[in-house]
Amino acid sequence: MLVGYLKKLAIGGALLILAPAIVAAPAWAQRGQGFGKQGAAAGRNCLIDAVAKQELDAKEAAGLTHMREEEKLARDVYAKLYAKWGARVFWNISRSEQRHMDAVGRLLERYGIDDPAADKAGGEFQNPDLQALYSELTAMGEASLAAAFRVGAKIEDLDI
């Protein structure tokens, strides 16, 4: 229930933010780093803490655990594609995926759920299906830059 609510909240928030962000993007680009890591993290934590804490059932807890590793999968694949091809877009998206990981990690902390990504190196996963998917996606993405972009599209489809 909470996971579904958070997904709906994220989609709705993204839609509300999208139009003004497009208009303001040129101004933000000129500002450089913006608020920095601490300001952004504080904002995410404030939003998470603003939602009343509810009891989670086993399915919701498992959903958060899976979501944490899915975000790690995306971050790790994009980082590997950046290392291979040097396309800045892969670096930017890997940083964004890290922020998603951090937000889900904050929820895991809040609810006392073990973090499946704790002490895992890049490309290492607790979930064997995600481990296999990582291997498959990185192999596909190493074939060519065009294939790497297709892998990125596939990751975004999986996230949806």
Side-chain angles (χ1 to χ4, degrees), residues 105-129:
R106 174 74 176 95
L107 287 169
L108 293 177
E109 285 176 24
R110 183 178 193 197
Y111 288 98
I113 300 169
D114 290 336
D115 184 354
D119 302 320
K120 297 280 193 249
E124 232 178 75
F125 301 89
Q126 182 175 303
N127 181 316
D129 294 333

Side-chain angles (χ1 to χ4, degrees), residues 3-154:
V3 173
Y5 171 76
L6 290 173
K7 285 182 181 179
K8 287 180 186 175
L9 183 64
I11 291 169
L15 292 174
L16 288 174
I17 293 170
L18 186 58
I22 290 170
V23 172
W28 289 340
Q30 292 175 4
R31 292 183 62 182
Q33 294 297 320
F35 294 110
K37 290 181 183 179
Q38 289 181 342
R44 279 190 301 281
N45 288 341
C46 179
L47 290 173
I48 289 170
D49 292 339
V51 176
K53 186 175 175 183
Q54 303 172 21
E55 289 298 317
L56 299 182
D57 61 30
K59 186 176 179 181
E60 291 168 325
L64 285 174
T65 300
H66 188 76
M67 192 182 306
R68 172 77 166 168
E69 276 205 302
E70 280 184 331
E71 297 297 345
K72 182 182 185 311
L73 170 83
R75 181 204 64 188
D76 293 355
V77 170
Y78 283 120
K80 181 126 181 164
L81 296 176
Y82 174 70
K84 171 73 177 176
W85 301 108
R88 183 77 179 173
V89 66
F90 295 134
W91 172 252
N92 292 341
I93 298 172
S94 72
R95 289 178 52 204
S96 178
E97 298 297 348
Q98 179 63 58
R99 287 189 296 273
H100 300 163
M101 269 187 75
D102 293 345
V104 177
R106 174 74 176 95
L107 287 169
L108 293 177
E109 285 176 24
R110 183 178 193 197
Y111 288 98
I113 300 169
D114 290 336
D115 184 354
D119 302 320
K120 297 280 193 249
E124 232 178 75
F125 301 89
Q126 182 175 303
N127 181 316
D129 294 333
L130 293 177
Q131 185 68 60
L133 184 58
Y134 172 83
S135 297
E136 176 188 336
L137 292 173
T138 54
M140 288 171 52
E142 289 181 343
S144 69
L145 182 56
F149 285 121
R150 285 191 294 276
V151 165
K154 186 172 186 156

